[in-house]
Amino acid sequence: MNKPTIHPYIPIAIGVLTVGLSAIFVKLATADAGVIAFYRMFFSAVIMLPLFLISYRSELTTLTKREWLFTASSGIFLAIHFILWFESLNYTSVASSTVLVTLQPVFALAGTALFFKEIITGKMLTAVLVALTGSFIISWGDFQVSGAALFGDILALLACAFVTAYLLIGQNVRKRISLVTYTFLVYSVSSVALFIYVLAIQEPFTGYPSSDWGWFLALAILPNLLGHTLFNWAVKWVSTNVVSIAILFEPVLASIAAYFVLHEKITTLQLIGAIVVLTGILLFIIDVKSIKKKLFTKNT
């Protein structure tokens, strides 16, 4: 394999930074959560459209009904994730929301064990308990601040559950569909679902300040298209575990940005809870890496 032109850690760092700014952009926008989510996905799909039409549209004819169903379901779950997560930011802090959404590996444990019969070790369960303890500490601290903050934490946890469902479906479908086709279709379905949602709650699609349109576009370009594209490029050169561990810095960067941009302070319980959550997730990833290494050694 040829060496990359730049060190993979540089794109990974840029990817984490752009994804970490997502919550800040949402907080800065004045539109409803559903509207922000709609334009994030719609602009992403529109930007991808030329590439899809030129190089990948022929792949549509090869998709089975099952693949269409799974892809559509994935897009709907992603739409719900964004609605819940963006709404959570109206009630709780960036620090609490991003840390709780980062619990995705914990939710994935139950999903992969249930649907893909993957191995669950005692160390994994311990790591899960550690992470859940951290989330309880955060929620308890927010509850002491206000009931609204606790409600925001619950929304963030639900958002984490739905993004996990989106990723689990993707794990199955992406084995047979190219990244560009799958991503474009998911973003398109998600846009349609969010369009219907915004119509249902009777929120306007226009009339927002020019700054909001800038945040909508920034969400589409930076976290969606740039951040995740850089992660997908990096996994050609480094282990996916490196990317998984790097993503743990997202809530750290988001909290720092929120402190300087939004003047959000981090409470002691939030800090303790965040450290416990990230420790649990890190232990989980390390154990998964260890199991994969043992299986690889056994098979070779």
Side-chain angles (χ1 to χ4, degrees):
M1 183 181 292
N2 296 327
K3 291 184 177 181
T5 53
I6 59 175
H7 198 289
Y9 285 3
I10 296 175
I12 289 174
I14 296 172
V16 172
L17 178 61
T18 56
V19 170
L21 290 173
S22 180
I24 306 300
F25 296 156
V26 173
K27 280 275 196 177
L28 289 171
T30 62
D32 179 79
V35 175
I36 300 172
F38 165 72
Y39 281 115
R40 172 174 178 164
M41 304 313 296
F42 176 71
F43 286 156
S44 296
V46 169
I47 293 170
M48 290 188 69
L49 181 60
L51 174 62
F52 172 75
L53 291 177
I54 292 171
S55 304
Y56 293 90
R57 70 175 187 272
S58 60
E59 193 172 358
L60 292 178
T61 59
T62 66
L63 301 184
T64 65
K65 290 182 179 179
R66 184 172 181 270
E67 289 166 346
W68 276 110
L69 177 62
F70 274 39
T71 302
S73 300
S74 185
I76 292 171
F77 285 139
L78 185 60
I80 297 172
H81 157 73
F82 280 127
I83 292 170
L84 292 171
W85 182 38
F86 290 177
E87 194 65 45
S88 78
L89 291 165
N90 291 325
Y91 297 94
T92 192
S93 67
V94 168
S96 294
S97 182
T98 52
V99 166
L100 294 173
V101 166
T102 311
L103 275 166
Q104 178 267 319
V106 174
F107 283 87
L109 172 66
T112 53
L114 182 62
F115 297 109
F116 300 110
K117 310 301 180 184
E118 292 191 6
I119 300 171
I120 299 177
T121 67
K123 290 182 180 179
M124 284 184 184
L125 291 175
T126 300
V128 168
L129 289 175
V130 170
L132 290 177
T133 300
S135 69
F136 176 79
I137 293 172
I138 292 173
S139 298
W140 177 251
D142 285 346
F143 176 70
Q144 290 182 321
V145 174
S146 70
L150 178 60
F151 178 65
D153 292 347
I154 294 171
L155 290 178
L157 284 170
L158 289 172
C160 184
F162 276 99
V163 78
T164 303
Y166 152 72
L167 292 171
L168 288 173
I169 293 173
Q171 177 179 329
N172 184 276
V173 180
R174 271 282 291 120
K175 294 176 182 178
R176 299 176 298 278
I177 304 176
S178 68
L179 175 64
V180 171
T181 298
Y182 177 72
T183 303
F184 173 75
L185 291 178
V186 167
Y187 287 178
S188 298
V189 170
S190 188
S191 298
V192 173
L194 288 164
F195 180 80
I196 295 172
Y197 171 78
V198 173
L199 281 180
I201 63 174
Q202 299 181 339
E203 286 290 333
F205 286 95
T206 58
Y208 299 104
S210 56
S211 58
D212 271 17
W213 296 100
W215 301 130
F216 298 159
L217 193 59
L219 281 165
I221 294 174
L222 295 177
N224 261 28
L225 299 178
L226 179 60
H228 291 286
T229 299
L230 289 175
F231 291 151
N232 288 323
W233 177 86
V235 294
K236 179 179 179 181
W237 311 101
V238 299
S239 168
T240 54
N241 291 296
V242 173
V243 177
S244 298
I245 293 171
I247 291 175
L248 295 183
F249 288 97
E250 177 189 345
V252 177
L253 295 173
S255 299
I256 293 172
Y259 177 82
F260 287 104
V261 178
L262 305 173
H263 309 293
E264 286 190 359
K265 294 182 179 180
I266 301 174
T267 66
T268 302
L269 283 177
Q270 282 179 327
L271 180 59
I272 294 172
I275 292 172
V276 174
V277 166
L278 297 180
T279 300
I281 296 173
L282 183 59
L283 290 172
F284 178 86
I285 293 171
I286 290 172
D287 192 52
V288 170
K289 183 178 180 180
S290 175
I291 290 174
K292 288 183 177 180
K293 185 177 180 179
K294 288 178 181 178
L295 289 174
F296 177 78
T297 304
K298 182 180 180 181
N299 292 332
T300 55

